[in-house]
Amino acid sequence: MLVINNNLFTEVAVEESATVSGGQVTNLFNLDQYLYIIGAGTTFGNSGLTTDEVQFAFESAFGFD
């Protein structure tokens, strides 16, 4: 019989969680802003979006603190 030791739900101290997550996250992806730009481009633009417009929406959706 195969026994797997799974430590997925073990309690972690604050210091350990900062080490595991790599510290504080400062760049977050804003899905609302991305979908707003894509939706506005689709609604008010030409018959489709170019790759440059999609790339602009993707890059604009990252918020840096």
Side-chain angles (χ1 to χ4, degrees), residues 10-50:
T10 58
E11 192 169 338
V12 178
V14 174
E15 295 83 14
E16 292 175 330
S17 70
T19 302
V20 170
S21 68
Q24 183 180 3
V25 177
T26 57
N27 55 349
L28 300 174
F29 186 77
N30 188 348
L31 183 61
D32 291 336
Q33 184 174 358
Y34 175 74
L35 293 176
Y36 179 79
I37 296 172
I38 295 293
T42 303
T43 303
F44 301 114
N46 293 331
S47 61
L49 295 176
T50 65

